[in-house]
Amino acid sequence: MSANKGRGTLDERAQKLLKTLIERYVRDGQPVGSRTLSRETALDVSPATIRNIMADLEDHGLVASPHTSAGRIPTEAGYRMFVDSLVTVKPLKKKVVEELNEGITDSGDNAQALVANASKLLSQFTQLAGVVTTPRREHNQLRQIEFLPLSGNRVLAILVVNSREVQNRIIDLDRSYNESELRQAANYLTEQFGGNDVVEVRERLINDLKNTQASMNQMMVDAISIAQRAFEAGDTEDFVLEGQTNLMDFAELSDIDKLRSLFDVFARKRDILHLLDQCTRGQGVQIFIGQESGYEPLGECSVVSAPYSVDNEVVGVLGVIGPTRMAYEQVIPIVDVTAKILGSALKSST
Amino acid sequence: MSANKGRGTLDERAQKLLKTLIERYVRDGQPVGSRTLSRETALDVSPATIRNIMADLEDHGLVASPHTSAGRIPTEAGYRMFVDSLVTVKPLKKKVVEELNEGITDSGDNAQALVANASKLLSQFTQLAGVVTTPRREHNQLRQIEFLPLSGNRVLAILVVNSREVQNRIIDLDRSYNESELRQAANYLTEQFGGNDVVEVRERLINDLKNTQASMNQMMVDAISIAQRAFEAGDTEDFVLEGQTNLMDFAELSDIDKLRSLFDVFARKRDILHLLDQCTRGQGVQIFIGQESGYEPLGECSVVSAPYSVDNEVVGVLGVIGPTRMAYEQVIPIVDVTAKILGSALKSST
DNA sequence: CATTAGCAGTCTGGCCAGCAGAGTGCTAAT
DNA sequence: ATTAGCACTCTGCTGGCCAGACTGCTAATG
């Protein structure tokens, strides 16, 4: 038994064959036979030899045949090996990078529009479904607070953070406040905490309320309790999915039931968010192949994702979702570059 | 030739048969034959008679047969007649109304959440796709204006309207303004225009700028030109679509290409918005059947919609989209009631 | 004269056999 | 170790066949 058999490492030739097999299979979706493979490679070996090697690859669990007299198709393990060590990512053409850059930069300057556009571009350029989580900074600088009285004991709190994001929340209070009370409270808070991190502000608020309650006048106490309520609910995390209809073109998803459960997962959002969350750790492009994601409806799908950062802080994840049989060597650089562009676009708009 | 033949009006018996034919066809999607129809009705006529009547109905263009030896299925004209004069809408059960009511009312109190929930409920209760346009009032009462300086000549304008909606826009100006200038301008505008209708404010702004420019001090001119910019861009109208995956269960849409073009229309949004816009005129439930919508991808779909109002003013449209073969007698009251509930829910949250 | 029974005609959908095409695994030769 | 050759197998397509379901027509009926 020679080195390229059994559980050992793979022959270089075998690797090369696996690579071309996957590339070929990705191209036209048909199981690849030995004859085709022998013609495709420059190795100059006969189909018979290829058949032997294919048997080895099958032992390794890297390829499989759908039935006796079909060619081979890659298994998930095969794809895994491919993306880990075999794939040669083509650097993107300058023109493509420019198009991406313009597409994102030109999309107005609010964060939501940038994100939506990035998602659209991802789906356009890859012909898969693009997905981008809304940015979510650890460090949100509080700029200003306003309170407006509503009916009953309710108050509309408006927080301006990071100089262009506006959040507003309705808070229920224990008693009603008039306009001037609220204005005083808002001014006090803005003065006191403006320029500080939101999380930090929240902590200081909690402390202040506990420790110095006695020494503060009623207005400040009120202001703080109002503000505390306003900070309670964190931002709702979310993502923008575009081009999901692209997925309907793939034969492996033409089964309407599979497609439906896939779309249902998208609509439910929770699972996808959880999955994307995992991509936050680690930097650079990450790939989930098929079952690796742990979600059944994503069974025959892969996720290629990359976190994007502003000021060296990871604020979100973007990527594409498509069938396991996708052109990784093209998708990977697109995801990679888009993440970088989006990151800097968000930065420059701050 | 008797009264129920040719282009004349329809026999009562013929109408009854058309009705049960449609009800039956809606139920199980199969062409309905004369034998079935004779058993289904209490008319006590033989299949042969039914066949004669069916021939009449076919002359009238109300039913058609897919091929020689199949039963009949309703045409679009048939459905049209059905919904116009034949259908007996069952009033909803109290329990259902309550569930709808609670489902919408309990969904927090911002408008966006209410709308999203209404859409979800529509899709749940009908097993079709639910759609609700975001409310858009003619009369938006301006409550307050704030300006915050950004980098360069840009300013973040925050408008509070109708006491709980907050809009913010970034505007480019011809020169930069410092914080105190902006505050003055904001105060001036809020004082001057607070409580007025946004559209009206805009008009007054344009006039003021033209007529009295000379007599105003620079600050006011600045304030007005800033505000004018802020009012320029109208609200972006939009809709919330839920449960589109429900549509994948219908046999008439199992063709993946039809499904795709349908979903593409949803994603493009523009056409759907235009279609829904048409439902604004006229009150009560409106129905588009198949080609009537004028949009090709909606070929085999119907839209059942109703406008919803706050304070007697129509502010949006909601409805469901599903295959032409849908249970109108159930869908119609659901849409109707949901529109009313959503309207009053929006009112009470003002 | 409307209604009905009966009958011939027709279209679909499922089933099966047969066949070409593609590819494998094995064996024996190089 | 590689390769040529061969027998074998599995798919996908085609055409024929048959049962089932309806219709439209004609002639009979109250």
Side-chain angles (χ1 to χ4, degrees):
Chain A
M1 197 177 271
S2 78
N4 66 339
K5 289 214 172 144
R7 302 288 127 198
T9 44
L10 237 55
D11 208 346
E12 186 173 341
R13 193 175 58 176
Q15 290 194 8
K16 192 154 189 177
L17 278 172
L18 177 59
K19 187 181 170 195
T20 53
L21 183 145
I22 292 185
E23 285 168 351
R24 173 83 193 202
Y25 178 67
V26 163
R27 247 197 27 225
D28 52 36
Q30 299 295 320
V32 188
S34 56
R35 181 200 222 80
T36 319
L37 221 40
S38 117
R39 263 190 276 108
E40 202 90 342
T41 62
L43 285 174
D44 207 37
V45 283
S46 79
T49 314
I50 306 253
R51 284 203 283 279
N52 289 328
I53 302 172
M54 292 320 255
D56 291 357
L57 288 177
E58 195 160 339
D59 284 349
H60 281 268
L62 299 170
V63 299
S65 43
H67 58 85
T68 343
S69 87
R72 301 302 210 294
I73 60 174
T75 62
E76 289 186 12
Y79 280 116
R80 174 48 59 196
M81 161 157 266
F82 177 73
V83 300
D84 280 349
S85 50
L86 264 41
V87 67
T88 48
V89 291
K90 311 175 187 173
L92 288 185
K93 285 185 187 148
K94 222 170 185 176
K95 206 184 137 210
V96 176
V97 178
E98 272 169 32
E99 275 180 51
L100 279 171
N101 209 334
E102 283 172 29
I104 293 179
T105 316
D106 291 0
S107 57
D109 32 23
N110 78 72
Q112 201 57 40
L114 286 173
V115 163
N117 241 285
S119 190
K120 235 172 233 155
L121 287 167
L122 278 172
S123 88
Q124 269 172 31
F125 278 76
T126 61
Q127 295 291 351
L128 305 170
V131 57
V132 184
T133 64
T134 52
R136 171 195 178 78
R137 310 208 183 163
E138 282 298 305
H139 303 294
N140 288 301
Q141 206 188 52
L142 181 64
R143 283 270 321 255
Q144 182 160 350
I145 296 185
E146 297 285 331
F147 293 123
L148 290 174
L150 298 177
S151 59
N153 293 350
R154 294 190 299 187
V155 166
L156 176 64
I158 303 174
L159 314 180
V160 183
V161 277
N162 293 333
S163 79
R164 65 172 51 213
E165 288 162 44
V166 180
Q167 294 172 13
N168 54 82
R169 297 168 192 167
I170 291 166
I171 45 188
D172 272 306
L173 297 172
D174 44 355
R175 71 167 179 90
S176 76
Y177 293 76
N178 67 33
E179 227 169 297
S180 85
E181 283 179 299
L182 289 173
R183 180 154 355 156
Q184 275 188 304
N187 286 342
Y188 169 74
L189 285 169
T190 303
E191 248 171 64
Q192 195 77 358
F193 296 115
N196 289 322
D197 186 282
V198 174
V199 183
E200 193 187 310
V201 169
R202 210 188 134 207
E203 275 163 22
R204 271 170 63 191
L205 282 176
I206 294 170
N207 275 337
D208 285 8
L209 200 56
K210 267 191 264 172
N211 301 340
T212 60
Q213 190 152 10
S215 67
M216 287 169 73
N217 67 34
Q218 188 57 38
M219 194 275 287
M220 279 164 72
V221 175
D222 289 347
I224 284 172
S225 71
I226 291 172
Q228 204 176 328
R229 302 294 301 277
F231 282 112
E232 256 169 25
D235 348 43
T236 54
E237 58 180 345
D238 198 5
F239 64 85
V240 177
L241 178 72
E242 291 283 347
Q244 57 174 326
T245 53
N246 282 341
L247 301 182
M248 305 208 289
D249 288 342
F250 292 95
E252 43 269 77
L253 295 173
S254 68
D255 177 11
I256 206 106
D257 286 331
K258 264 182 211 149
L259 202 59
R260 163 151 203 182
S261 55
L262 185 60
F263 279 25
D264 276 338
V265 173
F266 292 158
R268 228 193 337 276
K269 292 205 166 186
R270 230 194 39 237
D271 292 344
I272 297 292
L273 272 171
H274 186 251
L275 176 58
L276 289 175
D277 238 35
Q278 295 175 34
C279 306
T280 314
R281 341 183 197 307
Q283 57 183 357
V285 176
Q286 283 203 353
I287 303 180
F288 290 92
I289 292 171
Q291 306 290 350
E292 293 176 4
S293 67
Y295 294 98
E296 227 259 288
L298 291 174
E300 307 192 23
C301 289
S302 288
V303 180
V304 178
S305 70
Y308 64 91
S309 329
V310 176
D311 298 330
N312 283 325
E313 178 200 351
V314 173
V315 295
V317 185
L318 57 73
V320 300
I321 300 175
T324 309
R325 175 173 85 79
M326 69 164 76
Y328 295 94
E329 72 274 11
Q330 291 169 33
V331 170
I332 292 171
I334 291 178
V335 170
D336 192 27
V337 168
T338 308
K340 280 168 190 145
I341 294 178
L342 180 60
S344 60
L346 282 169
K347 179 178 189 171
S348 71
S349 81
T350 302
Chain B
M1 197 175 269
S2 77
N4 66 340
K5 289 218 171 136
R7 302 287 126 198
T9 44
L10 236 57
D11 207 346
E12 186 174 341
R13 193 174 60 176
Q15 291 193 7
K16 190 154 188 173
L17 279 172
L18 177 59
K19 188 182 171 194
T20 52
L21 182 144
I22 292 184
E23 284 168 353
R24 173 83 194 202
Y25 178 67
V26 163
R27 248 197 27 227
D28 52 36
Q30 297 295 320
V32 188
S34 55
R35 180 200 223 81
T36 319
L37 221 41
S38 119
R39 264 189 276 107
E40 203 89 342
T41 63
L43 286 172
D44 206 36
V45 283
S46 78
T49 314
I50 306 254
R51 283 203 284 279
N52 289 327
I53 303 173
M54 294 319 258
D56 291 357
L57 288 177
E58 194 160 339
D59 283 349
H60 281 269
L62 299 170
V63 300
S65 43
H67 59 84
T68 342
S69 89
R72 301 300 211 294
I73 60 175
T75 62
E76 290 185 12
Y79 280 117
R80 173 48 59 193
M81 159 155 267
F82 178 73
V83 300
D84 280 349
S85 50
L86 266 39
V87 67
T88 49
V89 291
K90 314 175 185 173
L92 287 185
K93 285 185 187 149
K94 222 169 182 177
K95 206 183 137 209
V96 177
V97 179
E98 272 170 30
E99 274 180 53
L100 278 170
N101 208 333
E102 281 172 29
I104 292 180
T105 316
D106 290 0
S107 57
D109 32 22
N110 77 73
Q112 201 57 40
L114 285 174
V115 163
N117 241 284
S119 190
K120 236 174 229 151
L121 287 167
L122 278 172
S123 88
Q124 269 172 31
F125 278 75
T126 61
Q127 295 291 350
L128 304 170
V131 56
V132 184
T133 65
T134 52
R136 168 197 182 76
R137 310 208 182 164
E138 280 297 305
H139 303 292
N140 288 299
Q141 206 188 52
L142 181 64
R143 284 269 324 252
Q144 184 159 350
I145 294 186
E146 296 285 331
F147 293 123
L148 290 175
L150 298 177
S151 59
N153 292 352
R154 294 190 301 186
V155 167
L156 177 64
I158 303 174
L159 314 181
V160 183
V161 277
N162 292 333
S163 79
R164 66 171 50 211
E165 287 162 45
V166 180
Q167 294 172 12
N168 53 82
R169 298 170 190 165
I170 291 165
I171 45 187
D172 272 307
L173 297 171
D174 43 356
R175 71 170 181 86
S176 76
Y177 294 75
N178 67 33
E179 225 168 299
S180 86
E181 282 179 298
L182 289 173
R183 181 159 348 153
Q184 275 188 303
N187 285 342
Y188 168 73
L189 286 168
T190 304
E191 246 170 67
Q192 196 76 357
F193 297 114
N196 290 320
D197 186 282
V198 173
V199 183
E200 194 188 311
V201 169
R202 212 188 132 205
E203 274 162 23
R204 269 171 65 193
L205 281 176
I206 293 171
N207 275 338
D208 285 9
L209 199 56
K210 266 192 264 171
N211 302 338
T212 60
Q213 189 151 13
S215 67
M216 289 168 72
N217 68 34
Q218 187 57 38
M219 193 275 287
M220 278 165 72
V221 175
D222 289 347
I224 285 173
S225 70
I226 291 173
Q228 203 176 330
R229 302 292 303 276
F231 282 112
E232 256 168 24
D235 347 42
T236 54
E237 57 180 347
D238 199 5
F239 64 85
V240 177
L241 178 73
E242 292 282 348
Q244 58 173 323
T245 53
N246 282 342
L247 301 182
M248 305 208 288
D249 288 342
F250 293 94
E252 43 268 76
L253 296 173
S254 68
D255 177 10
I256 207 108
D257 286 329
K258 265 182 210 151
L259 203 60
R260 165 153 202 184
S261 54
L262 185 60
F263 279 23
D264 277 337
V265 173
F266 291 158
R268 228 195 333 279
K269 292 205 168 187
R270 230 196 36 237
D271 292 344
I272 298 290
L273 272 172
H274 187 253
L275 177 58
L276 290 175
D277 238 36
Q278 294 175 34
C279 306
T280 314
R281 340 182 197 308
Q283 55 182 355
V285 176
Q286 285 204 351
I287 303 180
F288 290 91
I289 293 171
Q291 305 292 348
E292 294 176 3
S293 67
Y295 294 99
E296 227 261 287
L298 291 175
E300 307 193 23
C301 289
S302 289
V303 181
V304 178
S305 70
Y308 64 92
S309 327
V310 176
D311 297 329
N312 283 325
E313 180 200 351
V314 172
V315 296
V317 185
L318 57 72
V320 300
I321 299 175
T324 310
R325 175 174 85 79
M326 67 164 76
Y328 295 93
E329 73 274 11
Q330 291 169 32
V331 171
I332 292 172
I334 292 178
V335 169
D336 193 28
V337 169
T338 308
K340 280 168 190 146
I341 295 178
L342 180 59
S344 61
L346 282 169
K347 179 179 189 170
S348 71
S349 79
T350 301

